[in-house]
Amino acid sequence: MTVRDLALEHQQRQTVIDIARTWERTPYRHMGRVKGAGADCLTILAEVFQEAGLIEKVEIEFYPKDWMQHRSAERYLQGLLNYTKEIFTTPQPGDIIVWKVGRCFSHGAIVIDYPNVIHALAGVGVIQENIKNAAWLTHVGENTDNKGKPREYRVFSYWEK
């Protein structure tokens, strides 16, 4: 990768972060796609990367609010793979983290400065959060030390296609 390519990637990553921050305090709305009015954890990803000029508008088919509780098909991951590639290194600014919630990977966030992310939470809205302090993202259930088992997650990057 050339210096010019690295500079462009850095600029694009910063643009994604800057745009994601403008979505903070947007209320949570299932399938919402309007900054300030409503978004969910999938639609915010599509809208931020589109606004950054990195992808075209993503047509998202209807999905029930609780689809991840009743289906095992990895629809979220399949959609991400159209635009990104899974990476196995520490997430960089602008990368995407997806957690397994329910039966499949179904909750995503944009990395601001790992472990800080921006994501949309039902009942809360779009927030910036340190994921290491968010027990529901790091663990599933409870055990004797009140942490539960580690929650599965995967990391994807637009720039590693």
Side-chain angles (χ1 to χ4, degrees), residues 135-148:
W136 77 274
L137 283 175
T138 60
H139 291 85
V140 177
E142 296 180 21
N143 62 15
T144 56
D145 62 0
N146 261 350
K147 284 192 177 179

Side-chain angles (χ1 to χ4, degrees), residues 42-53:
L42 172 60
T43 58
I44 189 175
L45 300 179
E47 292 301 313
V48 166
F49 279 81
Q50 177 189 337
E51 189 176 337

Side-chain angles (χ1 to χ4, degrees), residues 85-137:
K85 181 178 177 185
E86 187 169 9
I87 60 171
F88 301 94
T89 58
T90 301
Q92 298 301 305
D95 287 341
I96 296 168
I97 301 177
V98 182
W99 290 269
K100 188 170 192 174
V101 177
R103 295 173 63 178
C104 53
F105 288 87
S106 58
H107 182 74
I110 298 171
V111 175
I112 299 303
D113 180 21
Y114 186 80
N116 297 305
V117 299
I118 288 182
H119 57 149
L121 296 174
V124 177
V126 178
I127 62 168
Q128 188 171 157
E129 184 168 28
N130 181 313
I131 60 176
K132 292 190 176 192
N133 296 333
W136 77 274
L137 283 175

Side-chain angles (χ1 to χ4, degrees), residues 32-89:
R33 298 182 81 154
V34 179
K35 189 186 304 181
D40 66 23
C41 72
L42 172 60
T43 58
I44 189 175
L45 300 179
E47 292 301 313
V48 166
F49 279 81
Q50 177 189 337
E51 189 176 337
L54 300 175
I55 63 172
E56 297 293 321
K57 183 172 180 71
V58 177
E59 296 302 325
I60 301 172
E61 292 182 27
F62 174 80
Y63 52 94
K65 288 181 185 181
D66 61 351
W67 67 273
M68 76 293 279
Q69 302 298 333
H70 308 288
R71 303 278 187 252
S72 296
E74 294 291 357
R75 293 173 54 187
Y76 204 124
L77 293 183
Q78 291 168 353
L80 269 179
L81 289 171
N82 290 327
Y83 305 95
T84 65
K85 181 178 177 185
E86 187 169 9
I87 60 171
F88 301 94
T89 58

